[in-house]
Amino acid sequence: MNQESFGTSRDNQAVTVYTIENSRGMRVRVTDYGAALVSIIVPDQNGTMQDVLLGYDNVTGYENNTCYFGAVIGRNGNRIADAKITINGIPYQLDANDNENNLHSGFHGVDKKIWNVTEQTGQAITLSCTSKDREQGFPGTMDIKVRYLVTDENALEIHYQAVSDQDTVANFTNHSYFNLSGHASGDILGHELTLAASHFTPVIDAKAIPTGEIASVAGTPMDFTSAKTIGRDIEADDIQLTYGGGYDHNFVLDHSAGGAFSFMAQAYAPDTGIEMRAYTDCPGVQLYTGNMITPQTGKQGAAYDKRQGFCLESQYHPNAVNEPNFKSPLIKAGEVYTSKTSYQFGVR
């Protein structure tokens, strides 16, 4: 395991970046700031190593980052309507950091913490942190672990574990932005994408809270049940795309009724030949096409802009804590939450 300085945080704490890798040359860089994924480096069809993740060169970039590049999101990914939840009849006011809603847990989620490295090998690293009672408004002190493992099959496995001393919300995800043509290569509109989702959760308006309906994708621009380019329908005259400024929607995975670990999505970049297959045990996945990335400088001076990365955020459905039609993300005091998502890379 290689480690090196990643700079000093605003509060004068040393931040480190770690590299894990397999015998085939796949390398993943992880920082203890936000337990964020900084790089995923895999071979393309010519054997050239490509970094397929948007990110920054040091901790200052992540502290200033408003896009959540590579971050672990918790204790609740995505949006909660009106930043309010009720658990056991008790109302809780959460951080309202997205209009009047709660987005990705609030102003200072676990993506802004410096995590502790508790275990490390050449191919894996485990990081931990604690979210205190009423941080961002959520009840319960929660101990959280995330483990990253690079397998010999060129997969990056992400294992989440959390336990709280009170009933609370547990819905973790990773907010990596992928560009399988290389992080500095421009937009991702030519990527081909397939989602194992014949339904999605339409949103009420541009504030992106679902209506509660589980709607068929058939005959809509949301249909990725067969491979198509991300850009094919992204500018279609469709109210859902208008609300999101492109794709920023939760898809209901076809396996979600059973909750088994199974296929979630497949993406492919024709110019590099890199293919990514994703798997999860979560009921949903948020497809976000980087519609709100503003012009900025990323790793090695790369110029990032709108739609130059896409996210596949495995999750419970947005606002599930308040929506009886969705599977609940609540856990009981002392109950151990676990979840697993995997991104596997290859070439065609």
Side-chain angles (χ1 to χ4, degrees):
M1 157 101 44
N2 177 57
Q3 65 184 70
E4 55 191 301
S5 172
F6 206 52
T8 303
S9 68
R10 288 194 187 111
D11 56 0
N12 206 36
Q13 295 188 70
V15 177
T16 302
V17 64
Y18 302 84
T19 301
I20 52 178
E21 58 188 319
N22 66 12
S23 59
R24 299 172 63 186
M26 177 179 170
R27 288 180 286 134
V28 174
R29 298 173 72 229
V30 181
T31 176
D32 48 13
Y33 183 84
L37 291 169
V38 175
S39 298
I40 298 177
I41 301 166
V42 293
D44 66 14
Q45 60 194 355
N46 299 316
T48 303
M49 302 305 288
Q50 300 283 351
D51 185 350
V52 297
L53 214 61
L54 274 61
Y56 301 103
D57 286 328
N58 53 54
V59 66
T60 303
Y62 289 90
E63 288 182 312
N64 296 331
N65 175 16
T66 59
C67 295
Y68 301 95
F69 283 170
V72 170
I73 303 297
R75 61 183 81 175
N76 185 76
N78 218 300
R79 292 172 174 88
I80 294 176
D82 299 320
K84 294 177 180 177
I85 61 175
T86 300
I87 300 177
N88 300 327
I90 301 171
Y92 297 93
Q93 177 65 54
L94 311 178
D95 286 353
N97 64 323
D98 181 53
N99 298 306
E100 68 271 26
N101 301 320
N102 177 273
L103 173 64
H104 297 327
S105 302
F107 293 110
H108 301 286
V110 299
D111 58 295
K112 299 298 184 185
K113 291 181 179 290
I114 296 179
W115 293 51
N116 299 309
V117 174
T118 59
E119 183 180 353
Q120 52 186 302
T121 66
Q123 290 185 220
I125 184 170
T126 302
L127 304 99
S128 68
C129 74
T130 298
S131 175
K132 295 180 181 178
D133 182 32
R134 299 304 178 94
E135 278 192 15
Q136 295 83 49
F138 292 95
T141 294
M142 177 179 277
D143 293 323
I144 304 157
K145 290 183 180 179
V146 61
R147 181 174 187 255
Y148 295 113
L149 169 66
V150 178
T151 74
D152 289 330
E153 291 72 41
N154 275 10
L156 173 63
E157 294 183 358
I158 309 176
H159 300 257
Y160 304 95
Q161 181 178 305
V163 62
S164 172
D165 60 3
Q166 297 181 45
D167 295 3
T168 194
V169 177
N171 176 26
F172 289 85
T173 192
N174 183 278
H175 212 302
S176 285
Y177 289 70
F178 299 98
N179 187 324
L180 303 182
S181 298
H183 76 98
S185 64
D187 70 59
I188 43 78
L189 299 178
H191 282 47
E192 296 176 10
L193 180 66
T194 307
L195 297 176
S198 52
H199 294 79
F200 79 112
T201 53
V203 297
I204 298 170
D205 55 25
K207 295 175 183 176
I209 298 297
T211 64
E213 178 187 7
I214 294 176
S216 174
V217 301
T220 79
M222 301 294 164
D223 191 350
F224 285 91
T225 54
S226 298
K228 69 176 183 182
T229 62
I230 291 173
R232 193 187 82 176
D233 298 327
I234 200 167
E235 299 293 348
D237 183 12
D238 181 273
I239 190 62
Q240 290 295 312
L241 291 173
T242 300
Y243 288 153
Y247 295 104
D248 189 9
H249 293 79
N250 173 70
F251 288 77
V252 180
L253 294 170
D254 291 337
H255 74 234
S256 61
F261 181 76
S262 56
F263 176 68
M264 173 174 78
Q266 179 175 294
Y268 170 67
D271 55 345
T272 59
I274 295 175
E275 179 179 82
M276 180 179 77
R277 292 177 61 86
Y279 303 80
T280 191
D281 54 13
C282 292
V285 59
Q286 187 85 3
L287 170 63
Y288 175 52
T289 48
N291 313 309
M292 301 301 290
I293 300 175
T294 55
Q296 58 189 281
T297 301
K299 288 179 291 190
Q300 295 93 47
Y304 295 157
D305 207 340
K306 179 179 179 181
R307 296 179 179 163
Q308 292 193 0
F310 68 95
C311 304
L312 293 171
E313 304 161 62
S314 52
Q315 61 182 8
Y316 285 86
H317 305 333
N319 199 40
V321 67
N322 293 318
E323 177 50 65
N325 199 36
F326 296 163
K327 186 175 180 179
S328 174
L330 293 178
I331 59 169
K332 296 291 186 182
E335 178 185 351
V336 179
Y337 160 94
T338 60
S339 183
K340 175 184 174 183
T341 295
S342 175
Y343 302 95
Q344 184 170 16
F345 299 87
V347 292
R348 290 188 195 173

